[in-house]
Amino acid sequence: MRPLHHTARIAFLTSLSLILFLLEGFLPLPLPVPGAKLGLAAIVTLIALRLLPRTRDAAAVLLLRIFLSAFLGGGVAPLLYSLAGGLASFAAMVLLLRYTQLSLIGISAVGGLFHNIAQLLVAAAVMESSALLFYAPILGCVGILTGTGIGILAQSIVKKINK
């Protein structure tokens, strides 16, 4: 792939991820825990992991989206939570892609779990309260369910792109 096409793909995927992240902020979600989200931007991260030639390219899409969303109004606290969740989820998904035969759906479900647990651990550290850890079972289930849904969408999109 030529360098310009490669850069354009990363820029396109980053833009798409940022748009999904921002649009999700407008969705009223009946999730059982305050602050829980669907994680629509993760669709793009999964697509990038499957379609871009190097893992670091997908990492660039993720990190660019996280920093741009913080720049566009998130601030430092959301940046910290997004980095923790995004990096934990990304690391888990990369390891599963490399070393297992899990489908993109299963990989995404695990990614959703790791994302929520990492954010919960950061929240407990920031607030200096282990009481927040009582939310772990709920957030774990929410992460697995939303991750499964995101995985279904991402797998469907990857199949259509590969045709």
Side-chain angles (χ1 to χ4, degrees):
M1 183 181 327
R2 292 183 290 181
L4 184 58
H5 289 200
H6 184 69
T7 303
R9 272 193 187 164
I10 291 172
F12 172 74
L13 289 171
T14 300
S15 300
L16 185 57
S17 179
L18 185 60
I19 289 166
L20 289 172
F21 174 81
L22 293 171
L23 285 176
E24 186 173 0
F26 294 108
L27 296 176
L29 299 175
L31 295 175
V33 178
K37 296 168 52 172
L38 292 174
L40 295 177
I43 296 169
V44 179
T45 303
L46 288 162
I47 292 169
L49 276 168
R50 278 288 197 213
L51 299 180
L52 293 178
R54 298 176 302 212
T55 301
R56 69 179 179 204
D57 298 331
V61 171
L62 172 69
L63 290 170
L64 285 166
R65 194 263 307 150
I66 289 171
F67 283 104
L68 286 170
S69 63
F71 177 76
L72 292 173
V76 177
L79 173 65
L80 182 64
Y81 292 113
S82 290
L83 277 173
L87 293 175
S89 174
F90 189 82
M93 292 189 300
V94 166
L95 289 172
L96 291 171
L97 274 170
R98 284 194 184 150
Y99 300 112
T100 72
Q101 296 298 315
L102 275 178
S103 70
L104 209 52
I105 297 167
I107 288 168
S108 180
V110 173
L113 171 66
F114 272 72
H115 188 277
N116 284 359
I117 297 304
Q119 285 193 336
L120 183 61
L121 290 172
V122 169
V126 167
M127 299 176 92
E128 298 178 354
S129 173
S130 61
L132 289 175
L133 298 179
F134 287 109
Y135 283 112
I138 296 168
L139 282 174
C141 290
V142 168
I144 291 169
L145 289 173
T146 58
T148 299
I150 295 302
I152 290 168
L153 289 169
Q155 185 168 285
S156 172
I157 292 167
V158 167
K159 282 182 182 179
K160 290 188 187 297
I161 289 172
N162 284 334
K163 281 186 180 181

